Amino acid sequence: MRLSARSGWPSEPSPWAEAVARAKAHAKAHARARAEDGNDLVDLTLTNPTAVGLVHDAALYRALGTEAAARYHPRARGSAEARAAVAGYYARRGIAVDPERVLLYASTSEAYAQLLAIVADPGDAVLVPRPGYPLLDMLGDVVGVRRVPYPLAFDGAWYLDRTGLDAALSAEPRARAIVVVAPSNPTGHVPTADEQAALRARAVAHDLPLLIDEVFADYPLRGDVSTRCFAAHHDVPCVVLSGLSKVAALPQLKLSWAVLHGPSAEVDELRARAELAADAFLSVSTPVQLALPRLLEAAEELQPRIHARLRANIARIATLVRDQPVDLLPADAGWTALLRLPSVDGLDDLGWALRLLDAGVLVQPGFLFDLGAPPRVAMSLLTPPEVLDEGMTRLLRGVAAAIDR
Ligand SMILES: Cc1ncc(COP(=O)(O)O)c(C=O)c1O
């Protein structure tokens, strides 16, 4: 059997994945004894809301059991009612969306894959932010599309490095789209109005669509951040991706959407092709489409609890690292905090994450997001407060111990 070159991913777990598996197995094997001496592994990486107590009232899930789900009316773009519910979600945020310009998918990842296949041929490239969301690499491989990184840089705050973006664009003749993750995972950066204009100007100049992943747009971490970036402009085709996984903290229900903005002729062509591709999959289940209006209402009810957790956690981390050799990097929005760790002992981000694992706390080393030097680690802001406190205590103890060696 001969398999594709592009699916020849490494089959061996990375040293980091092995170390995490070992630490988890060890913690499990010694669960009882370790719980007694308070030394089990504290996981600060959980971003699955259903694993950290951020769940809806049980009655909501019954909305999925409606009898209307007995009948199947396949619709490539998703049912008109479900698409209208997506438009309603945006209307509540002051953004006009035509339900005819909405397509439903099973996940944002699936939307990426299908849409990348429409904007790019195998061997073509898309511009992606670095540091950034690691799954984009895998999704690009699946559809045979290369990723060309453009830099987000840090000088006390994250910003779009326009020189780097221009260099990436002019070096890549086969670029077919610019992907913008806004708010960014893991940096939490939201492009300023100037940066948005710069991205649109490049898209126009190079005749490229923008693919905007705004799955975290409902989660600003500061009052003065406006996370809705690109919908208001019509100078460039712009595909905005989001979905229930983050908006309603319901990753298990598998429903996401793409909203097409921009010049009619180009959007119509994009939509026609996207619809044909989606028709080959018909991947969104009937029960979740029928329940979507109710699920999006429930999202509005749950989101204040998520906001409260995110903001309490970020404030708590800021307090705990004060006067410590650890910096909390500023973030505009999202579910992730980045910590800058001291440069000691030749430790890079992987070295630090391994050291912290030994100290009984799991964080993500920056290399997973292409963060590079200096050493930085990521942690989830969805972490339950008592777990966060214990994890941060161990982290700061682990840092102090490394400095003292
Ligand atoms: C930036 C970003 N985009 C997309 C996704 C995936 O969303 P979905 O569950 O809808 O595939 C994630 C998941 O963590 C993410 O961080």
Side-chain angles (χ1 to χ4, degrees):
M1 176 174 69
R2 189 172 156 186
L3 302 176
S4 67
R6 70 187 185 209
S7 63
W9 300 294
S11 52
E12 297 299 309
S14 68
W16 169 243
E18 269 179 345
V20 172
R22 261 198 317 274
K24 285 186 172 171
H26 192 258
K28 202 171 165 193
H30 295 78
R32 191 163 300 133
R34 291 186 146 243
E36 273 160 24
D37 67 17
N39 201 21
D40 51 332
L41 184 65
V42 174
D43 189 346
L44 294 184
T45 68
L46 293 174
T47 52
N48 171 357
T50 70
V52 289
L54 293 166
V55 291
H56 295 266
D57 198 86
L60 181 69
Y61 307 100
R62 289 198 275 278
L64 294 162
T66 161
E67 239 184 286
R71 282 168 297 281
Y72 184 38
H73 303 289
R75 297 280 182 276
R77 275 184 287 152
S79 75
E81 294 77 11
R83 287 185 287 107
V86 172
Y89 159 85
Y90 284 104
R92 289 193 286 282
R93 284 150 182 77
I95 296 163
V97 162
D98 176 357
E100 293 303 312
R101 288 180 163 210
V102 175
L103 291 113
L104 303 187
Y105 294 92
S107 64
T108 312
S109 297
E110 189 205 27
Y112 265 121
Q114 289 199 29
L115 293 161
L116 287 178
I118 285 162
V119 299
D121 282 310
D124 286 342
V126 289
L127 280 279
V128 297
R130 179 162 73 191
Y133 175 49
L135 204 61
L136 282 178
D137 264 338
M138 179 58 125
L139 296 171
D141 279 354
V142 167
V143 290
V145 173
R146 291 179 294 116
R147 285 75 57 200
V148 173
Y150 66 89
L152 288 181
F154 186 78
D155 65 356
W158 292 99
Y159 65 94
L160 171 71
D161 175 348
R162 295 167 209 213
T163 313
L165 174 62
D166 286 335
L169 276 167
S170 49
E172 181 47 69
R174 294 185 66 179
R176 296 292 177 259
I178 303 175
V179 175
V180 182
V181 182
S184 146
N185 176 4
T187 67
H189 171 66
V190 175
T192 61
D194 271 3
E195 290 173 336
Q196 293 167 42
L199 285 158
R200 285 203 316 277
R202 269 61 171 187
V204 170
H206 293 265
D207 198 17
L208 301 173
L210 291 170
L211 217 57
I212 313 293
D213 173 341
E214 57 167 44
V215 297
F216 291 112
D218 283 336
Y219 302 103
L221 293 169
R222 298 198 321 260
D224 59 341
V225 178
S226 164
T227 55
R228 301 286 164 180
C229 298
F230 291 88
H233 299 274
H234 302 284
D235 45 356
V236 62
C238 177
V239 181
V240 173
L241 305 179
S242 191
L244 288 185
S245 153
K246 308 295 184 288
V247 163
L250 288 168
Q252 72 275 39
L253 291 193
K254 310 311 297 176
L255 186 146
S256 287
W257 55 82
V259 182
L260 311 181
H261 298 274
S264 299
E266 285 167 295
V267 163
D268 288 350
E269 179 68 22
L270 193 57
R271 179 178 56 183
R273 293 186 186 208
E275 187 167 353
L276 284 171
D279 200 32
F281 292 88
L282 294 170
S283 52
V284 191
S285 80
T286 297
V288 73
Q289 292 193 58
L290 287 169
L292 190 60
R294 177 72 198 94
L295 297 172
L296 287 173
E297 271 170 34
E300 311 292 356
E301 290 156 28
L302 184 64
Q303 282 191 3
R305 273 175 58 205
I306 302 179
H307 285 136
R309 168 111 29 123
L310 297 170
R311 290 181 186 205
N313 278 348
I314 203 127
R316 182 75 183 137
I317 299 167
T319 305
L320 290 170
V321 301
R322 200 171 298 144
D323 304 325
Q324 297 284 338
V326 171
D327 290 326
L328 168 64
L329 302 196
D332 299 320
W335 289 2
T336 299
L338 289 177
L339 299 179
R340 155 88 205 257
L341 300 181
S343 303
V344 287
D345 229 7
L347 285 177
D348 60 7
D349 56 300
L350 174 60
W352 265 119
L354 290 168
R355 204 53 87 77
L356 295 174
L357 206 52
D358 285 343
V361 59
L362 176 60
V363 290
Q364 289 183 296
F367 81 87
L368 295 174
F369 306 92
D370 258 341
L371 264 159
R376 287 166 287 201
V377 295
M379 57 184 280
S380 168
L381 289 172
L382 292 189
T383 306
E386 63 289 356
V387 179
L388 182 108
D389 265 16
E390 175 60 21
M392 285 300 296
T393 303
R394 292 178 185 204
L395 184 144
L396 294 173
R397 216 189 285 140
V399 170
I403 291 175
D404 283 350
R405 275 159 64 106

